[in-house]
Amino acid sequence: MSTPLITLKNAGVNLGDRWLLRYVDLSLHAGESLALVGRNGAGKSTLMKLITSSIELDEGSLWVAPGVEVAYLPQNPCINGIQTLASYVGDSLRNPAELHVAESILMKMYLDPARLTNTLSGGEARRLALAKALVNKPNILLLDEPTNHLDLEALIWFQQYLANFSGAVLLISHDRSFMDDLVKTVYDIEDNKLISYKGNYSAFEIEKENRFDQRLQAWKNQQKEIEKNQGFIDRFRSVASKAAQAQSRQRQLDKMEKLSLIHI
């Protein structure tokens, strides 16, 4: 595989009383499209902010390849100031002479380049922020709910854009169809860890349920073993002829790595 564009190694974020993320390993390569899933509050948006360096790691490291440009679309973009939409998006251009590129993307998002930023609805502001993220053709796109407020024609154009995008895409979305068409790997944040699943979102759901069933059966088997050994210990710990065996089983229980159930 090619050299990664960006790598997180043993990354962790501590909230003071608990770890939100811990021992997170993630590499993004050109041409990859990945989905990031997990329960609300699991740390999905936080992980994206780590990649943009807008928040700091409490442990671990972040490496970014030289020259790599990261564009981030937050779930709730903040549009400050009053200016035309073309000017707002064009401010991000490496070459200001290419303002027509900004105008072209805005029109594909069904936004008038001459319109003022303070006249936008919430949905229009998100489309503006998406245009700003795309305008410089970055190496990495971090997209938090990118399909919200896109009408069908804009969505079709955006899907085609991402299908032809040569960089890496990491997205958070509740649009199952969008993820199924785009992503090839799903990363699930579960109990502050990052778990990888190959395939699209539908494949992820099946595989996660299968893994849970396997873990549940292993947990049930272990509980039976614990119950059996504990019964022997309770019965024979005070019996001289069996005390040594009871102590041995107690040591086995003490050393046993107890399984926990993963919530789905």
Side-chain angles (χ1 to χ4, degrees), residues 59-223:
E59 67 177 14
S61 62
L62 169 66
W63 177 84
V64 182
V68 165
E69 182 175 342
V70 180
Y72 172 46
L73 173 69
Q75 187 171 355
N76 298 300
C78 181
I79 312 297
N80 295 316
I82 300 175
Q83 58 188 128
T84 66
L85 306 193
S87 176
Y88 179 82
V89 174
D91 285 345
S92 299
L93 284 167
R94 285 186 290 268
N95 182 358
E98 296 180 344
L99 187 60
H100 65 280
V101 176
E103 293 172 342
S104 175
I105 292 178
L106 284 166
M107 288 187 287
K108 289 182 173 70
M109 295 288 173
Y110 296 91
L111 295 170
D112 181 356
R115 193 171 167 186
L116 295 178
T117 53
N118 65 331
T119 66
L120 300 179
S121 67
E124 289 168 334
R126 278 191 56 78
R127 280 186 276 154
L128 176 64
L130 179 57
K132 191 177 183 72
L134 301 180
V135 70
N136 269 325
K137 299 180 180 179
N139 307 99
I140 297 174
L141 278 172
L142 307 177
L143 306 172
D144 195 342
E145 300 292 352
T147 61
N148 284 2
H149 305 291
L150 292 184
D151 61 22
L152 182 59
E153 291 186 351
L155 177 59
I156 291 172
W157 174 83
F158 184 46
Q159 287 176 312
Q160 292 173 340
Y161 177 94
L162 292 178
N164 296 319
F165 183 63
S166 61
V169 178
L170 179 64
L171 68 92
I172 300 167
S173 179
H174 286 90
D175 188 333
R176 178 177 181 149
S177 176
F178 180 73
M179 288 192 288
D180 272 348
D181 289 342
L182 179 66
V183 305
K184 299 297 186 291
T185 302
V186 175
Y187 282 94
D188 182 26
I189 299 179
E190 184 70 55
D191 295 331
N192 69 40
K193 308 297 190 300
L194 197 61
I195 304 170
S196 174
Y197 296 80
K198 291 297 182 183
N200 63 13
Y201 186 78
S202 293
F204 152 73
E205 286 191 310
I206 295 170
E207 179 61 20
K208 182 170 183 178
E209 184 172 355
N210 289 340
R211 291 188 193 184
F212 176 79
D213 289 343
Q214 293 168 6
R215 192 173 182 88
L216 176 60
Q217 188 58 52
W219 179 84
K220 287 179 177 179
N221 292 341
Q222 187 183 68
Q223 291 303 303

Side-chain angles (χ1 to χ4, degrees), residues 228-229 232-233 245-253:
K228 178 182 177 181
N229 284 327
F232 183 94
I233 293 166
Q245 293 181 50
Q247 291 173 3
S248 175
R249 294 199 185 195
Q250 184 63 63
R251 286 192 293 270
Q252 290 177 18
L253 286 184

